[in-house]
Amino acid sequence: MRATTTWHKHGPQANCGISTSRPDQTDGHVGSARGVNWPAVTFSLMLAIYSIAIIWPSAITPAEYDAELGSIVFGGSERISMIYTLAGTVALLLGSVGTIASRSSRLFGQAYGEFLFVIGIILYSVAWLFIYISVPTAPMQLAQLVLTMFVYLGFVCAWYLPRAKILKGLALVSYVVAGCLIGALLLNGLPENRWVGGIHPNFFARFAWVAFALHSLSLRRISRIGLLGCTIASFIVSTRTILVGEVFFLLLYFMVAVTNARQRRVAVLSAVLVSGVVAIGILIVLFSGYSTYIITWFTDALELTSSVRGVTSGFTGRTEVWSSFFDRLPEFVAFGAGFRSVRYQDYVIHNGFLTYFVDFGLPMGLVVVSAVATKIVYVIRKSVLHHDNLGSLAGCLAAASLLMQFSEPDNFNIGFLGSVLFMLLLAFQPRHVRQV
């Protein structure tokens, strides 16, 4: 290989054809990792402001449990929460404007496939609007779809910014989310009827999952303290969906992402040691006088024997709702009920997968589901192939977040932090694509 001389600021340097720059930081632009990258800073700050606007109003608003109604009563706090949500959404849109303005060329280059897919969904929804123009909420549904897809494209462009800058921003957001949750516990104490102030228990655990996911991405590895915090948060509010999602994520990550033989041996050895400790602990509990007390405490904490929830509480009631979807299936054969029909037309589905079909109809719903699944598999596969641990993390976290939505209303929603995280993970661009 013939050596060449390249002139730099501090004089000539030998170059044997091997780049010493880090593409994951500079994104192909020499020096872009140095100094302040304003699009990345703006994006991070706007995402942090959005997170505060979503979480904090509910954290400072005590919710009261009405025994007669059997539900939580908020009083007039819902209106205040909507104002904060609107302000947070505006911040999210502004952050997306910055990233798209900075990396819009990538939407017509490396990310043209996702750009065309988004345009296709919007055009499909415009056609739906003309067919169902008589539906009062149709224009609002189309408007929210356009805004949501705009934010998604903003996330796609954000991953083309210098990685080091974006990951620092995600670390900041993870601290903000964790701080809001800790503040909510300090203000309201331990959960009462599973609620922490005005924060729904499922939302509280999902926010903890967001903090864990973002902190893990910022570290480019699994955040141990984030995982512990998410587990504790899910346990104290008795949200089993997040606990199942955590287990799924860990299993998937260690199966597909740990390719190094030494790391795999360490992972297996750790699993064996943990399993052994757990087994010994179970034996001690079973043969001690505290077995009944500990088992009762554990089942009560997760409400496994509750007459209201029970072991299958995640499916109780939801299975009836899912059955109603199939009863009304003829309504969704061609066109669906429009984007976010669960919000605008009161289609109660409580299943993120079925929501695609309700919103877009069977043909387009199948396209959307296939596209989402394909993108997640693509990110994991390419990241593992190119030894990009950040991409492996993002793909596995996206897969786990998608699994959690099996019992939740929707995946694409700029009004919910959990859905915003899923969109951010789904928009991830593998390193080998970024370098093209």
Side-chain angles (χ1 to χ4, degrees):
M1 183 180 296
R2 186 170 60 90
T4 59
T5 301
T6 303
W7 286 89
H8 293 270
K9 179 179 179 181
H10 300 290
Q13 294 182 358
N15 180 4
C16 296
I18 302 176
S19 173
T20 57
S21 62
R22 296 181 62 182
D24 60 326
Q25 290 185 352
T26 63
D27 191 26
H29 299 277
V30 177
S32 62
R34 301 175 182 176
V36 178
N37 186 286
W38 289 110
V41 171
T42 303
F43 174 77
S44 303
L45 289 178
M46 293 300 102
L47 188 57
I49 292 173
Y50 169 82
S51 301
I52 295 173
I54 294 297
I55 301 174
W56 197 242
S58 299
I60 61 177
T61 305
E64 298 180 0
Y65 183 80
D66 192 314
E68 295 182 2
L69 295 176
S71 61
I72 299 294
V73 179
F74 293 97
S77 63
E78 290 185 1
R79 183 177 180 181
I80 299 176
S81 181
M82 287 296 295
I83 295 175
Y84 275 92
T85 301
L86 179 60
T89 303
V90 172
L92 190 64
L93 290 170
L94 290 176
S96 298
V97 168
T99 58
I100 291 177
S102 174
R103 293 292 189 271
S104 59
S105 61
R106 300 306 178 101
L107 295 177
F108 308 102
Q110 291 96 316
Y112 71 91
E114 288 179 86
F115 177 73
L116 293 177
F117 175 71
V118 167
I119 295 299
I121 290 180
I122 293 177
L123 292 178
Y124 180 88
S125 299
V126 170
W128 171 86
L129 175 63
F130 281 105
I131 295 174
Y132 293 93
I133 192 64
S134 59
V135 178
T137 60
M140 290 185 290
Q141 289 177 265
L142 177 61
Q144 184 163 359
L145 172 68
V146 172
L147 292 177
T148 303
M149 292 296 101
F150 180 82
V151 170
Y152 178 73
L153 291 180
F155 289 164
V156 172
C157 292
W159 285 115
Y160 283 106
L161 294 170
R163 271 192 177 180
K165 304 296 184 181
I166 285 297
L167 295 185
K168 286 182 180 178
L170 295 184
L172 169 66
V173 179
S174 70
Y175 298 145
V176 167
V177 173
C180 288
L181 298 182
I182 294 173
L185 287 172
L186 292 176
L187 285 173
N188 301 283
L190 292 176
E192 183 176 357
N193 295 307
R194 300 180 60 216
W195 290 67
V196 179
I199 303 179
H200 190 284
N202 293 346
F203 290 178
F204 187 88
R206 182 62 62 83
F207 296 154
W209 167 260
V210 171
F212 159 66
L214 295 180
H215 195 235
S216 296
L217 291 176
S218 69
L219 297 176
R220 301 174 187 251
R221 59 173 175 79
I222 296 177
S223 170
R224 298 182 182 88
I225 188 171
L227 182 63
L228 178 62
C230 183
T231 302
I232 293 175
S234 303
F235 189 80
I236 64 175
V237 296
S238 185
T239 301
R240 307 167 206 166
T241 302
I242 305 299
L243 295 173
V244 172
E246 285 182 346
V247 173
F248 175 80
F249 161 71
L250 293 174
L251 290 176
L252 179 63
Y253 180 75
F254 284 120
M255 282 193 302
V256 304
V258 181
T259 56
N260 182 279
R262 180 176 178 277
Q263 292 179 335
R264 190 180 291 274
R265 286 196 297 270
V266 171
V268 172
L269 179 60
S270 300
V272 171
L273 290 176
V274 171
S275 300
V277 171
V278 172
I280 293 173
I282 292 175
L283 291 175
I284 293 175
V285 168
L286 291 177
F287 291 97
S288 68
Y290 299 99
S291 59
T292 303
Y293 170 78
I294 295 176
I295 293 173
T296 302
W297 173 81
F298 183 79
T299 56
D300 288 346
L302 293 180
E303 298 188 4
L304 298 177
T305 58
S306 170
S307 59
V308 178
R309 299 185 69 208
V311 177
T312 60
S313 67
F315 294 93
T316 303
R318 286 183 172 88
T319 53
E320 298 178 1
V321 173
W322 300 344
S323 299
S324 67
F325 163 81
F326 295 101
D327 294 337
R328 304 178 63 177
L329 192 60
E331 301 178 27
F332 316 120
V333 172
F335 286 89
F339 184 67
R340 295 222 65 222
S341 55
V342 66
R343 165 68 174 82
Y344 290 99
Q345 299 184 30
D346 295 328
Y347 280 90
V348 182
I349 300 299
H350 254 298
N351 186 303
F353 296 93
L354 296 182
T355 299
Y356 290 129
F357 299 103
V358 176
D359 288 354
F360 300 108
L362 292 184
M364 192 61 178
L366 183 60
V367 171
V368 174
V369 171
S370 301
V372 169
T374 300
K375 176 62 188 296
I376 293 175
V377 173
Y378 171 79
V379 169
I380 295 176
R381 181 175 177 273
K382 292 298 182 182
S383 298
V384 170
L385 183 64
H386 291 81
H387 306 288
D388 183 6
N389 194 53
L390 178 62
S392 301
L393 273 173
C396 293
L397 287 168
S401 298
L402 183 64
L403 176 67
M404 294 174 187
Q405 289 291 333
F406 193 81
S407 60
E408 296 296 335
D410 50 14
N411 298 317
F412 291 88
N413 178 11
I414 55 177
F416 177 48
L417 184 57
S419 298
V420 167
L421 170 70
F422 174 74
M423 293 167 58
L424 180 64
L425 295 170
L426 188 66
F428 182 85
Q429 301 300 305
R431 184 167 59 190
H432 78 284
V433 174
R434 291 160 47 89
Q435 292 178 256
V436 174

